[in-house]
Amino acid sequence: MKIYYNCLKQYISTEVEIEKICNILTDIGINVENFFSLKKDYLIELNIPPNRGDIISYYGIARDLNIALKFRGFKSKMRKLPSVFLFKKDFDIKNINFFIKNYKKCIRYTYTTICNINVFDSPKWLKNYFYYRGYNSINNILDIEHFIMSELGQPIKIFDLDQIINFSIKREKFKKKIKIDKKNFLSEKDLILLNNKNTIALAGLLMNKDFIVNNNTKNILIESAYYSSEYIYKTAKKYHIKNDSSIRFERGIDTNFSIYALKRAALLIKKISGGKITSDVIDLSPKKKNNIEIYLRYKIIKYIIGYNINIKKIKKILFLLEIYILFENINGLKIKIPFYRKDITREIDVIEEILRIYGYNNFIKKKIYINKNYIINNNLKIENIISNQLNSHGFYETLNISLNKKKYRKYYSNNRYNKINILNSYNKKLSILRFSLLFGLLENISYNLNRNKNQIKLFEWGKKYLFLKKNIIENNTLGLIFYDEKKKYDKYNLFFKFKGIIEQIIRRCGIIIYNQNFYENNFLENGLSFFYKKKIFCVVGYVKKQILIEFEISKKILYADINWDIINIIINNNNYHKKIYKKKDNFNRDRRDISLLIDKNISFEEIKNLSFSLEKENLKKIVLLDEYKSTNLPFGKKSYTISFYFKKKTYNIENIIHNLKKEFKKKIKAKIR
């Protein structure tokens, strides 16, 4: 938000220098990003907190600044707002029929009418006001809308009264789409301003151009309303609308300003355009709401802030904030919050206000002593080691939201576990707690592929959430996704390269003995599962085509899902954190290679298990050195080259190899090449 210092001084009287004012504004949470010196003024750029709807105006900023200046001992005084005492009805016209059908969304609606106006260019002072703020002047009537909104923070709307016959605010069941400002709207939940069955406006957001004031307008209706923040937020987000009115309604405005803003606008228009006020202020609102009352405890203030603030200073801050003290006892205060502070609803909010006005920099500095004899969480330490290892392989860590889009649930079906739905999600599309890290990583892949990246390696530490009977299960997971378009990798080499990285991670965690098996599920095809003592702790494979189509990905993508809870259990059982020293082996292990021609349905795991069942004592390790498939081979056949590693001082290697070849011929009908 941009404000001008001279405009601000119209609402506050102080001799404090501009640099000091900027520092104090920043200190109380209204961050001054920059300020510029002009010929006779200063331009100040402010970053307004999203919960502070009361300060999106000159008057609101002046009021908050006045509180801070007074508490810090500076001379400061709020100037009185222009009087609206002269507001009165000049003569009557025929009243329009008006009613509100939904007070939950339209909390308060006030209006008045003015006739015989003259629409022309704005006076010089009003033009200059908009020029320095970076806005274009429209005409003397519509400029008043923006002036009142920037001065008081109260959005007002001005309609051409000659176009209005029967005026109502309600939800209407439309059979056809309605068009406002070149946008189509069709929803029974939208609050619409109607003239019979013609749409005047989408309440609080957009106006129909047929009802906007133009050069031929003679009679006008001025609206000063307060719409529900929740309604405005949801409607603005649904139709992608963002304007000055929507921002103020979303953050909450002061309902007590509605009538003053209406009278102020009416008197300004009367003065500038020469019109006559033709109705009293019509105020349509339900029963008056009571102020929020909160019990503020002294011990909680000290506990939250960590510092004992004098009770007299606390009372002074509350007085300056216009927070009324109802009664006091030894333990605390019963207080009443003013209507314009929509952001203060709890005790912690009041404590935050006390701390903000007191000043974060006004506490006495104390030395902090840190105990150096702390214990590092071993699981976190291992995660850091694995992250560094993946970084060395060219992987980048990513972080995604822990929600899945509703449309992804069609890819998940599990008879044992159920998905967890969110009832009141801020985004209707993101309404399921994520049941897999895959979809967030695929969104990252799609984003990078659309920007011509030919090598994408990502990993993410996160949680999956599932529902089992009456229990919510949070599963710590490491997800890895891999795509490489380089020509040196064919389909199989790419898979084995990725599989090799996963095996490195497993070995780094101290897991040496594990088994592998073919694996497919709802997300993966042509994959492998790694299991330890009948528990699957990792799956690797290609993402299924129908899922990739959802993300507009035509490339083959590899994905690995590692259950880190099981990994931690294995690590703790194996005493990973203990240092183990072994005597260096001075003997080189003996190795023999065998090339086999086998049926294409036989897996490497079957050959591995068969080899270890025949020779447990001397056989140390078996590695698949090469896999070959070609039309030159007999139909339905493939070639494996396998390396067999033997323990040191194994003297009968040749006999063992001979026996293995014999068994391969017999059990799996292999041909030795």
Side-chain angles (χ1 to χ4, degrees):
M1 179 178 175
K2 294 179 181 179
I3 64 170
Y4 286 87
Y5 183 58
N6 287 342
C7 291
L8 185 65
K9 289 185 75 175
Q10 292 176 15
Y11 307 97
I12 184 172
S13 174
T14 181
E15 299 298 325
V16 181
E17 294 178 354
I18 180 67
E19 291 83 358
K20 189 68 177 177
I21 284 176
C22 291
N23 291 333
I24 291 172
L25 284 171
T26 301
D27 194 33
I28 61 173
I30 309 173
N31 187 40
V32 177
E33 294 184 342
N34 211 337
F35 77 93
F36 305 95
S37 176
L38 305 176
K39 287 182 179 180
K40 296 181 180 180
D41 203 351
Y42 292 96
L43 173 64
I44 307 172
E45 290 185 359
L46 300 175
N47 187 359
I48 304 295
N51 63 329
R52 296 294 307 278
D54 60 299
I55 56 173
I56 316 181
S57 64
Y58 276 103
Y59 183 78
I61 293 167
R63 179 172 51 193
D64 221 40
L65 177 61
N66 181 58
I67 294 167
L69 289 172
K70 280 188 173 180
F71 183 77
R72 285 158 175 75
F74 296 102
K75 288 184 179 181
S76 177
K77 186 180 179 181
M78 286 294 293
R79 299 183 192 274
K80 288 184 179 180
L81 286 169
S83 174
V84 291
F85 179 75
L86 295 176
F87 179 90
K88 65 176 182 177
K89 180 171 62 174
D90 294 314
F91 60 85
D92 281 320
I93 63 166
K94 185 180 178 181
N95 291 328
I96 57 173
N97 297 321
F98 183 86
F99 71 93
I100 299 175
K101 205 170 183 178
N102 194 318
Y103 277 111
K104 288 183 180 179
K105 292 182 179 179
C106 182
I107 298 167
R108 187 173 193 179
Y109 196 91
T110 63
Y111 73 90
T112 189
T113 57
I114 300 179
C115 293
N116 300 326
I117 63 166
N118 295 306
V119 182
F120 45 77
D121 286 345
S122 295
K124 188 176 180 181
W125 69 268
L126 193 54
K127 278 186 176 180
N128 290 338
Y129 180 85
F130 285 104
Y131 174 77
Y132 289 121
R133 283 175 57 83
Y135 292 103
N136 293 324
S137 174
I138 303 171
N139 58 50
N140 59 335
I141 305 301
L142 294 181
D143 285 354
I144 296 297
E145 278 189 12
H146 302 292
F147 176 77
I148 295 296
M149 188 160 52
S150 63
E151 179 185 55
L152 304 173
Q154 169 68 50
I156 64 167
K157 296 291 180 185
I158 303 175
F159 305 102
D160 190 333
L161 184 60
D162 294 330
Q163 306 298 324
I164 299 172
I165 303 170
N166 294 316
F167 196 21
S168 61
I169 300 177
K170 58 181 180 178
R171 283 163 39 189
E172 187 76 6
K173 294 182 179 179
F174 292 99
K175 294 181 180 178
K176 296 181 180 179
K177 289 185 178 181
I178 59 172
K179 196 168 186 179
I180 301 174
D181 195 26
K182 299 181 181 180
K183 291 188 178 182
N184 291 321
F185 302 90
L186 178 60
S187 174
E188 295 180 15
K189 296 181 181 179
D190 294 339
L191 199 63
I192 308 295
L193 276 70
L194 293 170
N195 178 39
N196 288 337
K197 290 187 178 180
N198 296 323
T199 306
I200 298 173
L202 183 65
L205 294 170
L206 290 177
M207 285 178 61
N208 189 334
K209 65 180 181 179
D210 295 335
F211 295 87
I212 295 175
V213 174
N214 55 53
N215 293 336
N216 299 321
T217 301
K218 287 296 178 183
N219 307 312
I220 58 172
L221 181 143
I222 310 172
E223 164 202 293
S224 179
Y226 177 39
Y227 297 102
S228 162
S229 301
E230 184 182 359
Y231 156 71
I232 292 292
Y233 172 77
K234 288 182 177 179
T235 310
K237 190 164 188 179
K238 180 168 64 173
Y239 296 123
H240 306 289
I241 300 169
K242 190 172 184 180
N243 53 37
D244 290 339
S245 297
S246 69
I247 290 169
R248 284 162 174 79
F249 280 130
E250 282 175 21
R251 300 187 183 190
I253 60 174
D254 184 6
T255 53
N256 293 330
F257 255 146
S258 297
I259 291 177
Y260 176 82
L262 185 68
K263 289 181 177 180
R264 173 107 166 100
L267 289 172
L268 279 172
I269 290 172
K270 181 181 176 181
K271 181 180 177 181
I272 293 172
S273 69
K276 299 292 182 181
I277 298 172
T278 54
S279 76
D280 292 319
V281 171
I282 310 300
D283 185 9
L284 300 169
S285 63
K287 293 180 181 179
K288 186 179 179 182
K289 289 188 176 182
N290 295 322
N291 297 64
I292 294 172
E293 295 181 2
I294 297 170
Y295 186 67
L296 182 63
R297 294 165 290 176
Y298 295 134
K299 66 177 183 180
I300 299 298
I301 296 173
K302 185 178 178 182
Y303 175 76
I304 296 295
I305 295 176
Y307 187 82
N308 195 11
I309 299 177
N310 189 290
I311 294 173
K312 288 184 179 179
K313 289 186 177 180
I314 291 173
K315 289 180 181 178
K316 184 179 179 182
I317 291 170
L318 295 176
F319 173 76
L320 291 170
L321 288 167
E322 299 178 30
I323 296 174
Y324 183 70
I325 298 173
L326 298 172
F327 69 82
E328 178 185 5
N329 58 25
I330 300 170
N331 298 320
L333 303 165
K334 184 70 176 288
I335 57 176
K336 185 166 69 173
I337 309 301
F339 275 117
Y340 72 87
R341 291 308 301 270
K342 305 291 182 183
D343 58 310
I344 303 178
T345 57
R346 304 167 298 164
E347 184 181 19
I348 188 67
D349 298 329
V350 182
I351 295 170
E352 183 184 341
E353 284 300 296
I354 292 168
L355 181 58
R356 185 176 70 88
I357 301 301
Y358 187 85
Y360 299 101
N361 299 320
N362 292 335
F363 294 104
I364 299 170
K365 294 180 181 178
K366 294 181 179 180
K367 290 184 179 180
I368 299 174
Y369 297 94
I370 300 172
N371 182 12
K372 294 182 180 179
N373 299 321
Y374 58 87
I375 299 171
I376 298 174
N377 186 311
N378 284 309
N379 293 339
L380 183 61
K381 186 178 178 181
I382 293 165
E383 286 181 15
N384 289 333
I385 291 170
I386 299 303
S387 295
N388 290 333
Q389 182 173 331
L390 288 169
N391 291 150
S392 68
H393 283 292
F395 281 80
Y396 290 93
E397 185 172 3
T398 186
L399 184 65
N400 292 304
I401 192 169
S402 58
L403 298 172
N404 278 151
K405 290 181 180 177
K406 191 189 291 186
K407 62 181 180 180
Y408 299 153
R409 64 184 175 184
K410 62 186 176 185
Y411 299 112
Y412 180 83
S413 59
N414 192 309
N415 296 327
R416 188 180 179 192
Y417 298 104
N418 294 320
K419 301 176 293 296
I420 301 173
N421 296 311
I422 299 171
L423 296 177
N424 296 316
S425 175
Y426 74 95
N427 187 332
K428 289 183 179 180
K429 293 181 180 179
L430 298 169
S431 58
I432 304 173
L433 277 173
R434 67 177 171 193
F435 47 84
S436 174
L437 272 63
L438 171 63
F439 299 101
L441 289 167
L442 281 174
E443 287 173 0
N444 301 146
I445 289 284
S446 177
Y447 179 89
N448 283 281
L449 283 174
N450 290 336
R451 284 150 183 81
N452 298 320
K453 303 291 182 183
N454 59 5
Q455 188 181 52
I456 309 165
K457 303 176 185 178
L458 303 172
F459 72 94
E460 180 181 8
W461 297 96
K463 287 185 177 182
K464 295 187 293 187
Y465 303 89
L466 296 166
F467 194 77
L468 177 62
K469 295 180 180 178
K470 294 183 179 181
N471 299 317
I472 293 174
I473 298 170
E474 297 183 22
N475 177 223
N476 290 296
T477 305
L478 172 61
L480 297 95
I481 203 157
F482 185 93
Y483 167 73
D484 199 331
E485 204 178 43
K486 291 182 178 178
K487 293 181 179 179
K488 65 177 182 180
Y489 300 120
D490 59 22
K491 176 183 174 182
Y492 299 104
N493 285 338
L494 197 65
F495 179 85
F496 284 112
K497 181 185 178 183
F498 188 52
K499 175 175 170 281
I501 293 168
I502 304 302
E503 287 175 336
Q504 278 187 6
I505 293 170
I506 295 168
R507 286 196 298 272
R508 191 68 181 270
C509 293
I511 304 170
I512 299 171
I513 302 170
Y514 59 89
N515 294 307
Q516 301 175 22
N517 216 338
F518 280 119
Y519 183 83
E520 283 194 11
N521 65 2
N522 297 324
F523 309 139
L524 304 177
E525 60 186 2
N526 300 328
L528 286 175
S529 64
F530 297 78
F531 54 94
Y532 178 86
K533 293 183 179 179
K534 297 182 180 180
K535 287 185 177 180
I536 294 176
F537 62 86
C538 176
V539 293
V540 185
Y542 286 97
V543 181
K544 287 189 173 179
K545 288 182 180 179
Q546 58 264 37
I547 297 176
L548 296 178
I549 291 168
E550 183 81 50
F551 295 88
E552 298 180 355
I553 299 173
S554 58
K555 316 290 184 181
K556 283 190 172 292
I557 305 294
L558 283 161
Y559 175 70
D561 187 284
I562 302 176
N563 188 326
W564 207 254
D565 287 334
I566 296 176
I567 294 283
N568 282 331
I569 292 168
I570 297 169
I571 289 170
N572 293 328
N573 290 340
N574 291 346
N575 296 321
Y576 174 86
H577 58 281
K578 291 185 178 180
K579 292 182 180 179
I580 300 171
Y581 297 93
K582 290 183 179 181
K583 187 178 178 181
K584 187 179 178 181
D585 188 0
N586 293 323
F587 294 90
N588 293 325
R589 292 176 187 156
D590 289 311
R591 166 187 157 184
R592 297 291 186 274
D593 295 340
I594 300 177
S595 291
L596 305 173
L597 186 66
I598 55 174
D599 191 83
K600 67 176 182 180
N601 296 323
I602 296 171
S603 67
F604 172 69
E605 283 298 311
E606 291 180 50
I607 299 171
K608 184 179 177 181
N609 294 335
L610 178 60
S611 302
F612 276 115
S613 66
L614 294 172
E615 189 60 46
K616 292 181 180 178
E617 294 181 4
N618 296 313
L619 200 56
K620 183 73 175 177
K621 185 172 67 170
I622 301 174
V623 176
L624 179 61
L625 190 65
D626 183 51
E627 179 184 15
Y628 178 69
K629 292 179 181 179
S630 174
T631 53
N632 296 327
L633 295 175
F635 179 75
K637 299 290 182 179
K638 64 180 177 181
S639 175
Y640 271 172
T641 300
I642 303 170
S643 296
F644 296 85
Y645 292 86
F646 295 90
K647 295 178 183 178
K648 63 179 181 178
K649 297 182 181 179
T650 301
Y651 302 107
N652 55 342
I653 292 176
E654 300 304 329
N655 291 333
I656 295 169
I657 291 295
H658 178 74
N659 292 333
L660 286 172
K661 289 179 179 179
K662 190 176 178 182
E663 288 298 318
F664 291 155
K665 289 178 181 179
K666 184 178 179 181
K667 295 284 178 69
I668 59 173
K669 298 180 181 179
K671 290 185 179 181
I672 311 300
R673 303 186 72 193

